[in-house]
Amino acid sequence: MNISIITVGKLKEKYLKQGIEEYVKRLSAYAKIDIIEIPDVKAPETLSEQEMLQVKGKEGERILAKIADDAHVIALAIEGKMKSSEELADTLDKLATYGKSKIVFVIGGSLGLSKDVMKRANDTLSFSKMTFPHQLMRLILVEQVYRTFRINRGEPYHK
C-alpha cells in the first residue's frame, strides 16, 4: 500500500518532526509512506470571507496538483466522519482488499480545505470536534495509520 499525506505548510517544531519520523520509520515495515508539504499562502492575520476563499482556493490547487487520478482521497476536516481506530483500520483494510493501493490523506492549512479538495475527496475523516494545529495533526495521523496496520495484522498495540 502507498500512503501519501499531503499537508499545507512547513513543519518547524523539532519535537513534532522527531515524532513523525519515528512513526514513518515504524510504518515502513507495512507500507510506503510519503509526506508532501504544500507551501501555505501567505496572508494577513485578519481576512475577509472572500480573501479566505482565495487563500483556500490557491492552497487547494496546489494540493490537487499532487493527487493522482487513481488515488483514494481522505480529507481531514472537523465536519468529517468520526471513526474509532478499529473503524479506520477496517476502512483501510477494505480499500486494500478492493485494489485501492494509493491512499492520500489531506490536511489543510489553518483555514481548512477548499471546496474543490473536498469534492475530490472520496471520504472525510474527523479526529475530534476540537480544532488542532495542522502541524500536530500530522503526528496524530501517522500514529493512527501505524495503529491501523498493527490492528489489521493482529499485532499488539496500546489501547
Side-chain angles (χ1 to χ4, degrees), residues 87-150:
E87 289 170 329
L88 181 59
D90 186 56
T91 297
L92 293 185
D93 191 46
K94 284 179 179 164
L95 288 170
T97 300
Y98 294 108
K100 293 286 184 181
S101 62
K102 289 182 189 171
I103 310 297
V104 176
F105 289 93
V106 180
I107 302 171
S110 58
L111 300 175
L113 294 168
S114 72
K115 287 181 181 173
D116 289 338
V117 172
M118 295 302 288
K119 272 190 232 164
R120 172 60 182 89
N122 301 94
D123 203 357
T124 59
L125 182 62
S126 175
F127 281 85
S128 172
K129 290 185 188 270
M130 291 185 240
T131 302
F132 295 104
H134 54 279
Q135 299 91 334
L136 181 59
M137 277 313 305
R138 285 192 217 188
L139 178 57
I140 295 169
L141 178 61
V142 294
E143 187 280 332
Q144 284 297 302
V145 171
Y146 170 71
R147 185 179 294 262
T148 66
F149 281 99
R150 302 282 294 183

Side-chain angles (χ1 to χ4, degrees), residues 25-83:
K25 185 173 82 177
R26 292 180 187 189
L27 266 166
S28 67
Y30 304 101
K32 181 181 179 294
I33 185 151
D34 191 23
I35 297 177
I36 302 163
E37 289 183 338
I38 304 295
D40 55 352
V41 174
K42 301 297 175 215
E45 197 64 33
T46 55
L47 298 171
S48 70
E49 189 68 31
Q50 187 60 36
E51 289 169 323
M52 280 190 222
L53 289 173
Q54 288 173 341
V55 168
K56 288 198 303 188
K58 286 178 188 171
E59 289 175 349
E61 289 170 12
R62 294 173 182 175
I63 290 167
L64 291 170
K66 299 290 184 182
I67 299 174
D69 290 341
D70 60 343
H72 184 90
V73 178
I74 301 172
L76 273 62
I78 289 175
E79 67 275 7
K81 297 175 198 144
M82 281 200 221
K83 296 183 179 195

